[in-house]
Amino acid sequence: MEISSMNQHDVFIDFSAKDTRYSFVSHLSAAFRRRNILTLLGEDFSQAATQQAIEGAKVFVVIFSENYAFSPMSLEMLTKFLDLQRRENGPVVIPVFYGDVAPSVVEQQLERFGVAFQSTEACSPKTTEWKDGERSD
């Protein structure tokens, strides 16, 4: 997809390719397409192109799966989504908890999410800020 057309979509789906690319995400994006909802998948672009793509999204769907938090880029994207959401008329962020991942596991950084946050904190100051609940407006 051309970068110029990235601002013309409705939904941006961020996910762990290892867990959900050829299962849940492919079905979800197909369902959106059947409803004529334009979607972009987070893993399909370079980091610079992804930044441009998220600026144009109306809705962010974040698929929290077992390996999601092990990707520093995914965690960085999550902080960007949450920052954008706080703006006036900002996009909607919809969390989807896939597999054995429960909301409390993500919120409290338990189990594999806890391990993932510990291993990626050094990579991203924004991730540490989000983890600690110290988001600035």
Side-chain angles (χ1 to χ4, degrees):
M1 178 175 284
E2 294 179 23
I3 291 176
S4 62
S5 65
M6 281 193 228
N7 286 334
Q8 302 171 355
H9 64 279
D10 301 307
V11 177
F12 187 98
I13 303 173
D14 194 39
F15 60 96
S16 166
K18 181 177 182 179
D19 295 336
T20 61
R21 173 68 166 128
Y22 297 107
S23 57
F24 181 75
V25 170
S26 63
H27 294 284
L28 179 63
S29 62
F32 282 135
R33 281 193 307 275
R34 283 192 298 276
R35 299 282 186 189
N36 295 318
I37 298 172
L38 301 175
T39 62
L40 286 173
L41 303 180
E43 72 168 11
D44 290 346
F45 306 100
S46 68
Q47 190 165 1
T50 300
Q51 177 61 37
Q52 184 177 353
I54 67 171
E55 291 291 330
K58 297 173 186 128
V59 175
F60 298 118
V61 176
V62 181
I63 313 298
F64 289 107
S65 61
E66 188 174 316
N67 290 297
Y68 179 85
F70 280 97
S71 166
M73 185 172 173
S74 289
L75 294 176
E76 191 69 29
M77 294 295 289
L78 179 60
T79 61
K80 289 177 186 177
F81 298 159
L82 296 173
D83 287 344
L84 288 170
Q85 183 184 35
R86 279 190 230 93
R87 293 182 185 171
E88 187 174 329
N89 298 319
V92 174
V93 178
I94 300 173
V96 175
F97 300 94
Y98 180 82
D100 292 334
V101 177
S104 62
V105 169
V106 175
E107 183 178 296
Q108 298 171 27
Q109 293 97 40
L110 301 173
E111 301 170 13
R112 286 182 57 83
F113 265 79
V115 172
F117 271 102
Q118 288 175 5
S119 68
T120 58
E121 279 181 311
C123 301
S124 174
K126 288 289 266 179
T127 300
T128 302
E129 178 182 298
W130 179 80
K131 173 188 178 275
D132 294 339
E134 300 170 2
R135 294 178 224 130
S136 58
D137 292 329

